[in-house]
Amino acid sequence: MNLRDALLQGLANLPGTREFHIHVLVSSSRKHSNLYPYAAPRPKTYLQQILVLLSEQPNPDSPRVFVSAIEAFLYHIPSASSAILYVSKVDSTGQAKSPSPTPALVRALLSYYVDPTTRPLSVAHLWVHLFARAQNQYLFPNSAEYPGKRPLTDVKLCAWWKRQLSMVAEDVSARAVSAGHAIPRIRLFYLLPGLGELEACHAMDRVYASTSSPCAASVPWSYGHPYRQTDVPLPCVPIGSEEKPAHIGHVIPWFDDDPKARFLDEIAYTTDAEGIKSPERKRPRTHRTAAKTEEEGESGKEGSGTKMEQTSKALKKVSVEEFWERMSFRQECIAGAVTGFFVMATSWAISTPPGSRSEPSPLAPVPGQVSAQMMKRVLTSLMTGHEFPTVERAVWSTRVLEEVIKGLCDGLKIAQGPEDGRRTPERETGRLGPPETPPRQIKRAMEDVSPNAFPEPIASLETYNSYIYGTTTVSNAEVPRKERDETEGKTGITVLTARRKKRGKV
């Protein structure tokens, strides 16, 4: 079962009569070295980007309109037999029929990668990371202007994510038990910076006052970080940990647009008292310094090793507990709204050890994958060329984006320019111009040093119809509406009047 079919199957139980159309884009694997940028040595990591676009058609005569979208990143660490699924963004347009399909879509995506029977990677451990921060819009520009969109508030969003992860853990465990497989090890962690455990649990209970409390789930939750537990091995295990103790750069992953990553960078390049370090003052060149410079040049990597040692020393000064305690004072976490960090750690006993059989290269192309350039083209078009403030504009944007995705698979060529805007200058036959300073060289990222031996996948109509696009019609019973009294939902107002003092008889 591929990801598209799993997501469509997760939407099959929604109430009502509805028709859904889905587009699932999964990029090919590429080398990535920034998951643990401060670890020495860095583990070999491979990255895939996932984009899910869901549109709904209320009836056969009405047009389609995008209702939900998910952006996620899958990191594969073969040396540790681990993978990390980072849910970056989840958004909706507010134009779906009630109930919204977004919760079912999110649970189906998480279950697909958490369950080892459907997971496309042969790993024993999988981690799910996400950062909950309430905003009006993420992936659908100007969708906050639509009157029907009601984004969740800060505490409600944290409670919503906690409920979704609890339901995924319970569902995956139940399926493993019913199939006769070994009971998986699933550990759930959450942390609301600035709130204690009792305060966080009380806030969740207030959100779900009328239903079951998320704090009383069958799979227990732990309040705090997951980097001291030993049930599920961490993805980045330092070599020679006895001689070189691991610091926070070995245990805390680095994600784009994540407060943890920004705080890690600040700790690594900032001292305790002096602030940001200034470059050391150069000494005047003498015979001794010239000889010393030649010796250092022969040694090669002494300079880079010194920088790495300075960074490691700065990270070693901060423990994991101190890191999270200081996170509670970061402006991103206490700027008037409650935020939350959620982690699901899973471990499954695989039948064969990772090195016992020959496995294909993680960079080998897999059917259904698209190129990173196509993924970037679709995301750029979604974020910069469309908007969803009204039904009319959302319908037009949905139609254009769906045609673009199909057209890219049908042979629509992407304008390919020179990489990074650089081009080998050709010799002109005219007069020579005045001398110019050559442009500054752009430093390449670490993952681009060794190129991919496999070519980028080329999507086709067969790929589009078999892996990317899918549709399903849901025909279930409607959710019975609760009969509401005229006074229900109205808050009673008590008017306080001043008590008049009785006058005595004269």
Side-chain angles (χ1 to χ4, degrees):
M1 178 185 295
N2 55 35
L3 178 57
R4 182 204 63 178
D5 297 337
L7 296 179
L8 291 176
Q9 184 178 351
L11 300 172
N13 296 327
L14 288 174
T17 302
R18 316 161 73 170
E19 185 175 353
F20 294 104
H21 303 265
I22 197 169
H23 288 79
V24 181
L25 299 176
V26 181
S27 68
S28 57
S29 297
R30 64 180 185 271
K31 295 180 181 180
H32 184 77
S33 61
N34 290 331
L35 182 61
Y36 293 96
Y38 303 109
R42 299 181 185 180
K44 286 187 178 181
T45 309
Y46 304 92
L47 172 63
Q48 284 182 285
Q49 190 174 2
I50 304 167
L51 178 64
V52 179
L53 297 172
L54 180 68
S55 59
E56 183 175 356
Q57 191 173 5
N59 52 71
D61 299 329
S62 60
R64 305 183 210 168
V65 60
F66 279 141
V67 294
S68 303
I70 304 174
E71 183 188 16
F73 296 89
L74 182 64
Y75 301 87
H76 181 203
I77 306 99
S79 59
S81 187
S82 300
I84 298 177
L85 178 65
Y86 174 60
V87 182
S88 176
K89 297 180 181 69
V90 176
D91 198 4
S92 65
T93 60
Q95 303 181 24
K97 292 177 61 177
S98 181
S100 173
T102 305
L105 190 68
V106 170
R107 292 195 300 268
L109 175 69
L110 296 178
S111 300
Y112 177 77
Y113 285 100
V114 171
D115 193 345
T117 59
T118 58
R119 184 189 307 157
L121 299 178
S122 179
V123 293
H125 319 291
L126 184 126
W127 297 71
V128 179
H129 286 257
L130 63 96
F131 172 63
R133 177 173 49 196
Q135 287 189 3
N136 293 332
Q137 58 192 28
Y138 273 108
L139 290 170
F140 294 114
N142 296 335
S143 60
E145 300 177 9
Y146 182 69
K149 183 173 183 179
R150 299 178 179 87
L152 297 177
T153 57
D154 50 359
V155 179
K156 288 185 178 181
L157 180 64
C158 294
W160 184 86
W161 271 114
K162 191 175 182 183
R163 167 165 288 195
Q164 306 310 315
L165 292 174
S166 295
M167 295 176 68
V168 169
E170 294 171 1
D171 180 59
V172 172
S173 299
R175 277 188 287 176
V177 172
S178 62
H181 298 157
I183 300 177
R185 291 197 302 268
I186 300 180
R187 302 293 182 264
L188 301 173
F189 302 87
Y190 79 108
L191 181 64
L192 309 184
L195 297 181
E197 182 176 0
L198 294 179
E199 294 174 320
C201 193
H202 179 64
M204 303 292 182
D205 290 339
R206 286 189 300 172
V207 172
Y208 293 102
S210 59
T211 58
S212 59
S213 171
C215 293
S218 60
V219 180
W221 283 83
S222 300
Y223 190 77
H225 62 83
Y227 305 117
R228 292 296 186 192
Q229 56 83 35
T230 56
D231 296 333
V232 181
L234 297 175
C236 182
V237 180
I239 299 177
S241 56
E242 296 180 358
E243 300 178 0
K244 298 181 180 180
H247 50 72
I248 56 177
H250 286 91
V251 297
I252 300 177
W254 196 100
F255 304 117
D256 287 333
D257 193 19
D258 185 39
K260 301 192 305 296
R262 285 186 281 270
F263 193 28
L264 273 176
D265 294 340
E266 184 176 324
I267 294 174
Y269 297 107
T270 306
T271 58
D272 294 336
E274 300 176 0
I276 299 177
K277 292 182 178 180
S278 301
E280 296 181 2
R281 187 177 181 180
K282 294 183 179 180
R283 298 179 181 178
R285 186 177 179 86
T286 60
H287 295 289
R288 291 185 179 180
T289 55
K292 189 176 181 180
T293 304
E294 292 178 359
E295 293 177 0
E296 291 179 354
E298 294 176 357
S299 61
K301 300 181 179 179
E302 287 186 5
S304 59
T306 304
K307 292 182 180 179
M308 197 65 186
E309 290 178 1
Q310 292 177 355
T311 302
S312 300
K313 287 180 180 179
L315 294 173
K316 286 179 181 178
K317 294 178 181 178
V318 181
S319 63
V320 181
E321 288 75 15
E322 182 183 351
F323 176 87
W324 286 108
E325 183 179 356
R326 291 169 61 179
M327 276 293 297
S328 303
F329 300 96
R330 300 279 294 178
Q331 186 177 2
E332 296 177 279
C333 300
I334 60 171
V338 177
T339 58
F341 294 90
F342 295 85
V343 177
M344 174 190 288
T346 64
S347 182
W348 302 72
I350 56 179
S351 57
T352 57
S356 62
R357 57 187 178 90
S358 60
E359 296 183 358
S361 171
L363 297 174
V366 177
Q369 295 179 350
V370 300
S371 63
Q373 194 175 11
M374 178 178 173
M375 178 75 74
K376 183 179 180 181
R377 172 82 176 265
V378 174
L379 264 176
T380 304
S381 178
L382 173 64
M383 300 297 295
T384 61
H386 300 278
E387 56 181 358
F388 302 82
T390 61
V391 177
E392 292 77 14
R393 293 191 178 185
V395 168
W396 181 84
S397 298
T398 301
R399 177 177 57 82
V400 171
L401 270 173
E402 290 183 344
E403 290 177 356
V404 166
I405 296 174
K406 186 175 181 180
L408 291 174
C409 297
D410 195 16
L412 178 64
K413 300 299 182 182
I414 303 176
Q416 297 183 0
E419 186 179 359
D420 293 335
R422 290 177 292 177
R423 177 182 301 176
T424 303
E426 298 182 0
R427 191 172 184 179
E428 298 181 357
T429 57
R431 291 184 304 172
L432 294 176
E436 297 180 355
T437 304
R440 188 177 62 177
Q441 296 292 331
I442 302 175
K443 293 183 179 180
R444 286 179 172 268
M446 292 294 295
E447 52 265 24
D448 295 334
V449 173
S450 55
N452 186 1
F454 299 93
E456 286 283 349
I458 301 176
S460 61
L461 277 180
E462 182 181 358
T463 305
Y464 178 82
N465 295 321
S466 301
Y467 298 94
I468 296 177
Y469 171 72
T471 180
T472 183
T473 301
V474 177
S475 181
N476 298 319
E478 296 280 352
V479 177
R481 295 184 178 181
K482 297 181 181 180
E483 297 181 358
R484 302 182 63 182
D485 299 334
E486 295 181 357
T487 59
E488 186 179 355
K490 297 181 179 180
T491 305
I493 300 176
T494 303
V495 179
L496 300 178
T497 58
R499 182 180 298 177
R500 295 182 178 180
K501 185 177 182 180
K502 295 182 180 180
R503 296 181 178 179
K505 295 181 180 180
V506 180

